Amino acid sequence: MRADRLVSLVLLLRQRGRLTADTLARELEVSTRTVLRDIEALSAAGVPVYAERGRHGGFALSPGFRTELTGLNHDEALALLTAGSGRGEQVFGLGSALASAMRKVVDALPESHRVTASDAAQRLLVEPETDLLSRRPVTEKVPETTMIEVRRAVLAGHKLRIHYAATGQTPQWRTVDPIGLVTVRDRRYLLATKSGADRTYRLSRMLAAEELPEPAQRPNQVDLERVWRERCAQFLSDGHITVLVRVNPARRDDLLNTAVAVRAEEPDTDGWLRLEVTYQDSWHAEWALWQFSTDAEALAPQSLRTALRNRATAIAARYEESS
């Protein structure tokens, strides 16, 4: 870990010039005392870092000093810089590693490409905090200590003990065999098995986690995309209801936000959209579609159409009585 930090310190000084010990400590997420010890270690190793005294002082490298890293072409560096510009720090607790990697990418570029790639990356925005309707994404928080334990167990192939709060149940400790981690729309999941049975856990529902020394019972190789696809199919088939619905295109996104999943979508003959969506159960489907008034029409199943018609009839009768 210290070797990586020393490299990051050198790259920060190369790319930004003179920096104070306090600034370096914030960037590297360590104490000022640790920074001073690292500066001494670099000097002892022959890295030409020196201190400038005074109000505008700090630490700097001798002009012309450069660390040699494998170069990247312009498009490769631009792709990495753009990918790192999103909310990557929220993915699996790798924020510090991402920041360090981005510094190395910039430093690895030839001098002629470094400025142009950095400027180009500023023109590309990935997953901003709000959309055009000013809706903020719902980002699930996972304690860093929990995330680290889960990630270590997954990558090391060890069993994992988790304190998990399933919906409507008292939190319980359970030991699982982790398979992999998946992030979808700012929600993170652990794919695992428990006593040989497939299990999928929301990381935001983990109150604590502990990597165990015992090896996990899992295959040496895994096609995580295939496993996730199979888990999704199983989830949608367990007690869920599939609904065929027509919707005004202006309300399409609102409809999608109420559904568990979208299975199909195509334009209808009158300019509306015809979608096949999944809801948790019949009550969820009835509640969701009722919110759209005449901007949506359930086409199937017939039981849902009947439920919506009965609800509309009851409300109409209530207001007739009041008039």
Side-chain angles (χ1 to χ4, degrees):
M1 290 296 293
R2 191 188 186 197
D4 288 340
R5 191 174 68 244
L6 292 176
V7 171
S8 294
L9 194 157
V10 172
L11 294 179
L12 281 169
L13 294 177
R14 267 199 46 78
Q15 293 163 19
R16 299 192 192 178
R18 186 188 307 112
L19 294 173
T20 65
D22 288 341
T23 300
L24 288 168
R26 285 195 302 271
E27 290 288 341
L28 299 172
E29 299 180 354
V30 296
S31 67
T32 303
R33 181 176 297 180
T34 297
V35 168
L36 296 177
R37 286 200 300 264
D38 288 348
I39 293 291
E40 291 180 2
L42 289 171
S43 296
V47 177
V49 58
Y50 64 95
E52 293 186 356
R53 307 297 180 185
R55 189 173 67 176
H56 301 292
F59 294 99
L61 295 169
S62 296
F65 176 78
R66 175 171 176 78
T67 54
E68 294 297 334
L69 299 176
T70 302
L72 301 172
N73 66 39
H74 180 274
D75 286 347
E76 290 171 338
L78 178 59
L80 290 174
L81 290 172
T82 302
S85 68
R87 297 193 303 278
E89 72 278 1
Q90 298 172 1
V91 180
F92 306 137
L94 295 173
S96 298
L98 177 63
S100 176
M102 290 302 101
R103 287 193 291 268
K104 293 177 182 178
V105 168
V106 172
D107 196 78
L109 286 173
E111 188 71 32
S112 59
H113 291 333
R114 190 176 305 136
V115 175
T116 56
S118 296
D119 288 346
Q122 295 177 11
R123 306 287 180 177
L124 306 173
L125 179 60
V126 180
E127 293 292 339
E129 291 189 359
T130 60
D131 61 16
L132 287 175
L133 300 178
S134 298
R135 295 175 301 192
R136 297 179 63 88
V138 180
T139 302
E140 298 184 334
K141 301 296 183 182
V142 181
E144 183 178 2
T145 54
T146 299
M147 187 70 257
I148 290 174
E149 290 293 313
V150 173
R151 189 176 70 235
R152 283 177 177 171
V154 169
L155 298 182
H158 290 167
K159 288 183 178 294
L160 180 68
R161 187 167 177 258
I162 60 175
H163 194 208
Y164 193 75
T167 303
Q169 299 181 20
T170 302
Q172 295 181 347
W173 284 98
R174 58 196 77 188
T175 300
V176 302
D177 295 296
I179 295 174
L181 288 165
V182 176
T183 178
V184 181
R185 297 179 182 176
D186 291 324
R187 292 180 179 178
R188 285 159 284 183
Y189 301 88
L190 170 68
L191 307 188
T193 60
K194 184 176 184 298
S195 301
D198 291 343
R199 293 289 185 269
T200 302
Y201 300 101
R202 285 265 289 274
L203 265 63
S204 60
R205 294 176 182 163
M206 291 185 187
L207 306 180
E210 177 187 3
E211 178 191 6
L212 302 178
E214 295 88 353
Q217 300 299 312
R218 66 181 192 181
N220 292 328
Q221 301 293 326
V222 62
D223 183 345
L224 203 58
E225 185 173 357
R226 178 185 59 79
V227 173
W228 176 251
R229 189 166 56 247
E230 292 173 351
R231 296 283 178 95
C232 289
Q234 181 63 38
F235 173 77
L236 294 176
S237 65
D238 289 344
H240 290 68
I241 179 174
T242 299
V243 175
L244 183 61
V245 59
R246 294 175 68 252
V247 64
N248 183 331
R251 303 295 305 279
R252 172 187 177 276
D253 289 347
D254 295 331
L255 178 69
L256 298 189
N257 287 337
T258 68
V260 173
V262 181
R263 296 193 170 192
E265 178 179 350
E266 63 181 7
D268 211 348
T269 55
D270 59 357
W272 279 31
L273 298 173
R274 183 179 292 243
L275 293 90
E276 185 178 345
V277 296
T278 299
Y279 288 102
Q280 293 176 2
D281 50 35
S282 298
W283 184 91
H284 180 207
E286 180 183 341
W287 171 86
L289 293 179
W290 181 256
Q291 314 306 310
F292 294 91
S293 183
T294 57
D295 282 332
E297 177 189 1
L299 302 177
Q302 182 59 45
S303 58
L304 177 59
R305 288 178 59 87
T306 300
L308 289 168
R309 184 181 67 243
N310 291 343
R311 179 183 286 214
T313 300
I315 289 181
R318 172 64 55 87
Y319 282 98
E320 285 179 0
E321 293 172 359
S322 301
S323 59

